[in-house]
Amino acid sequence: MSETELAAWWQRGVIYQIYPRSFADANGDGVGDLRGVIEHLDYLNDGTDRSLGVAAIWLSPFYRSPMADFGYDISDYTDVDPLFGTMEDFDRLIGEAQRRGIRVIVDWVPNHTSDQHPWFTESASSRESAKRDWYVWRDPAPDGGPPNNWQSAFAAVGSAWTFHEATGQYYLHSFMPQQPDLNWDNPEVEAAMHEVLRFWLNRGVDGFRIDAIYRLAKDPELRDNELGIRHDEDWPTIHQRLRKIRAVIDEYENRVIVGEVYLLDLRRLVEYINTGDELHLAHNFVFFHLPWQAAAFRASVQEFTELAKQSAWPAWFLENHDHSRVATRYAAAPESGQRRARTAAMLICTLRGTPFMYYGEELGLPDAHIPPDRVVDVDGRDPERSPMPWRRPSLDGPGAGFTTAEPWLPVITGAESLCVESQQQDPRSTLAFVRKLTHLRSREPTLQSGTLRLFDAAADVFCYERELDRRFLIALNFSSHRVPLALGGDAPSSAFLELSTHPGREHGAVDLQDLVLEPDEGLILRLSKAGAARS
Ligand code: NOJ
């Protein structure tokens, strides 16, 4: 069997993240919902190249939640929050997605519950509660302060401990006080959370994105963090815990787990995927946080490739619901944001590994401007969660086809030209480009599972080759100047241009010696197996 046939569904195609609050509002309350997702499944994959052709969607939490962290504070893991719809809506979503060949990955948030979850209410009811040990409770330090120096991941929160007057102890929360950490040292907690996985697997989900997985194992002695040594995350016990999670997943066929491994150290990241019995995929935040420089991306991809075993599969992403969007954070000037968004999409879709795309990334959406009186998130993440602009505000009203009501967050200012409707009518748009890109990837097994080899080129150009049954050369200009490609070494002299991020670039045979990249331009060039041009 060839390598192509061996590639699993989660290796071949694009995985598209939907933040349900912001994707599409079907019931007119200003907040997105599951019916809204169902209504737009054809946009994601209708089986033709007029859609994005995604392989799977990953849904951020839609479970019952008081929404202190907009769904990442869960009060019932096995029910749909009424804001998002009903369990019937969810079942229909699975069925409609399956009909279109779209897999469904859901978020699993095992590190913490909501403080409104019955487990926590019971745990907080008394020191003698049967569920007291389901969370992390400790006596105050001798001075009455928190038990150790651990801090919440959210700067605005400060200490990771909150004092509970009624029972006279502190409880641990790695995020907001409304998100108490579960005690994973307690086997009952572990078993209960495994049951949550089985519940959704039995309902037909294809996998999970695991929230804050690196937080699931902490120093059981709760020692202070020191400079360079963290005791509140990535404790060695994580790997045994992860293997047990994987064993639950492997009770079912063809499922996937992708972990939010927010560790800014590739050596530690690869430990989550190298053994083959832990995560299938790990979100790589080192890559995510790179500066927009060819040399930085080249070095990081090379380091990852050296550290990861050949059997470990990479995942690449540059946007999610927690950070500024590419078109804003990588913009050198107003006009380069859109151009770089296209080049970034080409990068994640052509490296060896699974690309993750965040809703609106295919439109090159920038962050939204959030006036002070509209700020709702504790950690400044509202700008990247702005509603999906489907239609032109001048024709459809200020909700831009996302909602008929006041949207829960402001719509971006450029919605008139950046919305789906406008971009769909423009063959030079970012959306038109991304559709060509994802379809090229789905047509070409080489782009899905071919080998990766880095190529020397001009300093501002990140260049690599993919090879399987075909050969492709990808060249990405990370500068906003025109740059000669300047291929080094055993480079071929000619190629066939398959796709450019630059709408004016003509397709066809090109001479690689003379090739000059436009500002911020990315190219996919097909090489003949022998190195000569083939059209
Ligand atoms: C990571 C999620 O992506 C983020 O949105 C959330 O606030 C924290 N984990 C806590 O669940």
Side-chain angles (χ1 to χ4, degrees):
M1 220 192 286
S2 77
E3 201 180 329
T4 321
E5 284 162 311
L6 283 174
W9 63 266
W10 48 267
Q11 296 175 306
R12 290 196 298 267
V14 173
I15 301 182
Y16 185 93
Q17 183 192 353
I18 292 178
Y19 192 69
R21 294 183 70 89
S22 301
F23 194 61
D25 169 22
N27 70 351
D29 63 358
V31 179
D33 43 47
L34 296 181
R35 267 177 51 217
V37 176
I38 296 170
E39 287 171 10
H40 290 87
L41 285 175
D42 279 341
Y43 167 80
L44 299 176
N45 195 344
D46 69 358
T48 76
D49 58 12
R50 289 184 305 277
S51 70
L52 274 174
V54 307
I57 53 175
W58 147 29
L59 293 167
S60 282
F62 50 82
Y63 316 109
R64 271 193 192 266
S65 165
M67 302 289 164
D69 191 17
F70 301 104
Y72 282 96
D73 50 318
I74 298 169
S75 53
D76 185 345
Y77 284 105
T78 56
D79 201 4
V80 174
D81 194 278
L83 194 62
F84 296 122
T86 62
M87 201 52 112
E88 288 68 45
D89 293 333
F90 180 80
D91 290 340
R92 205 157 65 78
L93 170 55
I94 292 277
E96 290 293 324
Q98 271 169 2
R99 220 159 56 74
R100 292 166 176 83
I102 304 173
R103 312 273 179 155
V104 179
I105 294 171
V106 298
D107 228 297
W108 182 55
V109 187
N111 178 70
H112 46 269
T113 67
S114 158
D115 61 348
Q116 308 295 306
H117 195 292
W119 295 342
F120 187 73
T121 330
E122 199 180 323
S123 182
S125 65
S126 98
R127 289 198 189 199
E128 283 70 48
S129 153
K131 287 218 163 36
R132 187 67 170 177
D133 194 38
W134 279 45
Y135 293 83
V136 186
W137 294 96
R138 285 295 182 280
D139 289 335
D143 68 354
N148 66 21
N149 70 357
W150 296 0
Q151 296 290 301
S152 156
F154 300 139
V157 171
S159 170
W161 296 93
T162 288
F163 188 66
H164 185 248
E165 294 283 347
T167 56
Q169 285 189 309
Y170 280 87
Y171 68 88
L172 179 68
H173 49 84
S174 296
F175 297 91
M176 295 173 81
Q178 295 93 328
Q179 294 166 295
D181 280 26
L182 284 162
N183 175 17
W184 271 77
D185 294 334
N186 181 341
E188 287 177 26
V189 167
E190 190 169 35
M193 288 309 295
H194 288 176
E195 277 314 302
V196 173
L197 291 172
R198 290 194 187 92
F199 176 88
W200 292 103
L201 288 163
N202 289 336
R203 268 201 126 82
V205 307
D206 296 288
F208 299 91
R209 176 267 188 180
I210 308 183
D211 187 75
I213 182 68
Y214 62 105
R215 293 272 183 173
L216 231 54
K218 307 171 179 91
D219 179 357
E221 292 178 41
L222 303 182
R223 284 170 289 189
D224 276 353
N225 282 331
E226 303 149 69
L227 206 62
I229 307 176
R230 297 279 300 253
H231 290 261
D232 59 348
E233 61 179 32
D234 193 34
W235 207 248
T237 37
I238 186 62
H239 298 290
Q240 184 201 349
R241 275 174 202 170
L242 205 39
R243 276 194 287 277
K244 286 160 93 178
I245 291 165
R246 174 64 177 264
V248 174
I249 301 302
D250 287 347
E251 291 168 11
Y252 299 74
E253 257 174 60
N254 246 335
R255 312 297 162 106
V256 70
I257 42 175
V258 49
E260 186 203 21
V261 187
Y262 212 136
L263 299 170
L264 299 179
D265 177 345
L266 289 179
R267 280 176 306 244
R268 288 159 71 195
L269 173 84
V270 296
E271 286 178 18
Y272 286 69
I273 51 173
N274 265 351
T275 55
D277 57 1
E278 296 182 46
L279 293 174
H280 297 93
L281 298 169
H283 280 146
N284 175 347
F285 284 88
V286 175
F287 178 85
F288 185 96
H289 284 295
L290 291 173
W292 191 250
Q293 290 161 6
F297 278 91
R298 183 192 166 96
S300 194
V301 168
Q302 180 157 20
E303 190 189 350
F304 181 90
T305 310
E306 283 164 9
L307 292 170
K309 288 197 178 152
Q310 185 62 21
S311 54
W313 192 251
W316 308 106
F317 79 115
L318 288 168
E319 286 196 8
N320 75 4
H321 59 294
D322 292 331
H323 295 282
S324 171
R325 287 182 180 269
V326 163
T328 297
R329 73 191 158 100
Y330 285 142
E335 69 282 2
S336 67
Q338 277 286 307
R339 294 200 304 246
R340 290 187 176 180
R342 289 198 284 271
T343 303
M346 187 177 271
L347 171 66
I348 61 170
C349 289
T350 57
L351 284 172
R352 179 176 174 274
T354 300
F356 280 77
M357 222 176 251
Y358 181 49
Y359 82 93
E361 192 170 348
E362 73 279 16
L363 305 174
L365 291 190
D367 294 345
H369 170 67
I370 311 290
D373 64 336
R374 297 290 302 269
V375 169
V376 289
D377 180 51
V378 64
D379 200 35
R381 298 167 295 180
D382 300 324
E384 58 267 20
R385 297 174 177 180
S386 170
M388 180 81 163
W390 292 100
R391 292 195 291 275
R392 297 166 61 181
S394 63
L395 301 175
D396 270 276
F402 163 75
T403 184
T404 49
E406 170 83 2
W408 75 286
L409 281 174
V411 169
I412 54 154
T413 23
E416 191 69 17
S417 58
L418 288 176
C419 69
V420 173
E421 185 183 32
S422 296
Q423 294 207 32
Q424 221 144 19
Q425 291 158 5
D426 177 5
R428 298 164 68 97
S429 68
T430 298
L431 176 60
F433 162 75
V434 172
R435 283 177 179 165
K436 284 186 209 141
L437 174 67
T438 52
H439 284 279
L440 179 61
R441 185 185 159 106
S442 6
R443 275 201 315 276
E444 295 290 352
T446 304
L447 291 176
Q448 298 162 23
S449 50
T451 54
L452 175 97
R453 184 161 70 112
L454 301 185
F455 251 77
D456 287 334
D460 283 326
V461 177
F462 180 24
C463 190
Y464 47 93
E465 180 197 52
R466 302 291 310 280
E467 180 167 15
L468 188 65
D469 54 343
R470 288 188 154 181
R471 280 175 77 196
F472 290 97
L473 188 76
I474 292 95
L476 310 165
N477 178 6
F478 278 70
S479 82
S480 288
H481 312 287
R482 298 185 79 224
V483 175
L485 176 59
L487 281 184
D490 57 347
S493 57
S494 56
F496 183 86
L497 177 65
E498 290 281 355
L499 187 63
S500 164
T501 58
H502 182 61
R505 169 84 70 179
E506 299 245 337
H507 291 196
V510 291
D511 185 341
L512 292 177
Q513 309 299 319
D514 296 339
L515 189 62
V516 177
L517 286 97
E518 295 297 319
D520 307 302
E521 185 182 20
L523 298 170
I524 302 180
L525 300 145
R526 179 155 47 83
L527 306 175
S528 86
K529 277 292 215 178
R534 197 176 55 169
S535 55

